[in-house]
């Protein structure tokens, strides 16, 4: 099952949330189900300026893709475009937003019930492997620069390991690229950062996405008339220690 995340759904599903006394906005861009084992999910979080989201963890593996604004995760600087991965039950934070606030997508292959704050770790943390990775890929290219590309560029941002990996590609206008899954992954989330791209018969604009399960094999992506800059986020399987019993 290939699932798509769209701006139109995000606009319909945007709502305010009270988080620790501050008003965030959350927009569901990809919704499939509430299955804790398999339910591809993408939502956009809008964190207000000069706001702190306290250290916490989640019960699912997740990527975060920071697309607008600036700030910090712990002691690490974040700016567009930063990729952050935290495995299930891996604590991280705080997330501090700068003067312009932050916008970031949270991306999971299964439904998550919400964050657990560090103050509650003693009773909620589960023993098992922890994984935390962060990498910056820089600002998306403008259309003028993308449209001048003569050949596809491909960069491995996070080297594949145990199902986890991040790859950045830039495609000339109307170019097609084959994007295979990596071993031991659930599948790959493909995000458009600039230009436009088509997967199957669906056209995706900036910030729109697709999830391609591992069982589907390689994804065939075609750039639009001005080219495309895309990022593939390969999601690892949940560690056995964290699976529901």
């Amino acid at each position: 099952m290939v699932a798509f995340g769209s701006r139109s759904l995000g606009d319909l599903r945007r709502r305010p949330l009270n988080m620790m006394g501050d008003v965030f906005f959350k927009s569901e861009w990809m919704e499939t189900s509430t299955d804790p084992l398999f339910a591809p999910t993408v939502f956009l979080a809008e964190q207000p300026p000069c706001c702190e989201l306290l250290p916490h963890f989640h019960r699912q593996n997740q990527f975060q893709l920071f697309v607008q604004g600036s700030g910090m995760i712990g002691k690490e600087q974040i700016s567009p475009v930063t990729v952050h991965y935290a495995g299930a039950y891996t604590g991280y934070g705080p997330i501090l937003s700068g003067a312009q606030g932050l916008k970031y997508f949270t991306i999971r292959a299964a439904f998550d019930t919400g964050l657990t704050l560090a103050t509650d770790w003693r009773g909620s943390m589960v023993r098992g492997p922890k994984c935390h990775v962060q990498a910056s890929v820089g600002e998306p290219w403008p259309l003028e620069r993308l449209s001048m590309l003569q050949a596809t560029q491909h960069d491995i941002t996070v080297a594949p390991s145990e199902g986890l990996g991040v790859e950045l590609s830039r495609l000339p206008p109307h170019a097609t690229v084959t994007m295979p899954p990596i071993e031991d992954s659930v599948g790959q989330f493909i995000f458009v950062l600039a230009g436009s791209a088509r997967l199957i018969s669906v056209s995706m604009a900036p910030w729109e996405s697709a999830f391609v399960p591992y069982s589907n094999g390689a994804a065939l992506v075609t750039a639009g008339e001005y080219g495309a800059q895309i990022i593939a986020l390969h999601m690892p399987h949940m560690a056995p220690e964290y699976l529901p019993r």
Side-chain angles (χ1 to χ4, degrees):
M1 174 198 73
V2 176
F4 291 92
S6 68
R7 182 180 293 273
S8 59
L9 178 61
D11 289 344
L12 286 173
R13 297 282 284 114
R14 185 174 184 264
R15 62 197 187 279
L17 289 178
N18 190 310
M19 298 285 290
M20 306 171 195
D22 289 296
V23 178
F24 285 56
F25 282 87
K26 181 180 180 182
S27 309
E28 309 290 349
W29 286 52
M30 181 188 295
E31 292 182 297
T32 52
S33 75
T34 56
D35 189 333
L37 295 178
F38 183 75
T41 303
V42 175
F43 68 82
L44 177 66
E46 300 175 55
Q47 185 168 330
C50 306
C51 167
E52 179 181 31
L53 185 59
L54 296 175
H56 59 278
F57 71 83
H58 292 271
R59 292 171 176 80
Q60 299 287 351
N61 299 337
Q62 71 169 35
F63 281 102
Q64 289 169 305
L65 192 64
F66 291 82
V67 294
Q68 193 169 305
S70 62
M72 306 278 289
I73 298 181
K75 296 180 180 180
E76 298 293 326
Q77 195 80 33
I78 47 178
S79 58
V81 170
T82 296
V83 180
H84 175 255
Y85 174 81
Y89 293 93
T90 299
Y92 66 94
I95 301 179
L96 301 170
S97 57
Q100 304 302 314
L102 278 171
K103 289 186 179 181
Y104 48 96
F105 287 94
T106 298
I107 301 137
R108 304 186 183 111
F111 183 77
D112 187 83
T113 55
L115 60 81
T116 299
L117 292 174
T119 51
D120 299 323
W121 284 5
R122 181 178 294 274
S124 303
M125 182 61 77
V126 176
R127 291 180 181 273
K130 313 300 179 191
C131 182
H132 179 275
V133 176
Q134 184 171 324
S136 175
V137 300
E139 291 272 2
W141 280 17
L143 292 182
E144 293 81 4
R145 188 178 182 188
L146 265 181
S147 64
M148 293 173 61
L149 270 178
Q150 298 300 308
T152 296
Q153 298 179 353
H154 181 73
D155 297 314
I156 297 176
T157 304
V158 176
S161 176
E162 299 181 341
L164 172 67
V166 178
E167 299 169 289
L168 181 73
S169 299
R170 299 184 183 95
L171 282 66
H174 307 297
T176 296
V177 64
T178 300
M179 304 177 68
I182 64 173
E183 290 296 324
D184 300 321
S185 69
V186 179
Q188 56 182 319
F189 287 88
I190 298 171
F191 267 79
V192 176
L193 299 178
S196 62
R198 188 175 71 256
L199 175 63
I200 311 176
S201 59
V202 177
S203 181
M204 299 178 291
W207 295 9
E208 295 187 320
S209 61
F211 173 74
V212 184
Y214 180 86
S215 59
N216 277 51
L220 194 65
V221 179
T222 301
E225 62 176 326
Y226 298 107
Q229 183 171 347
I230 56 180
I231 192 166
L233 309 173
H234 298 271
M235 184 71 76
H237 284 277
M238 181 78 77
E241 292 89 338
Y242 303 139
L243 291 173
R245 288 174 169 50

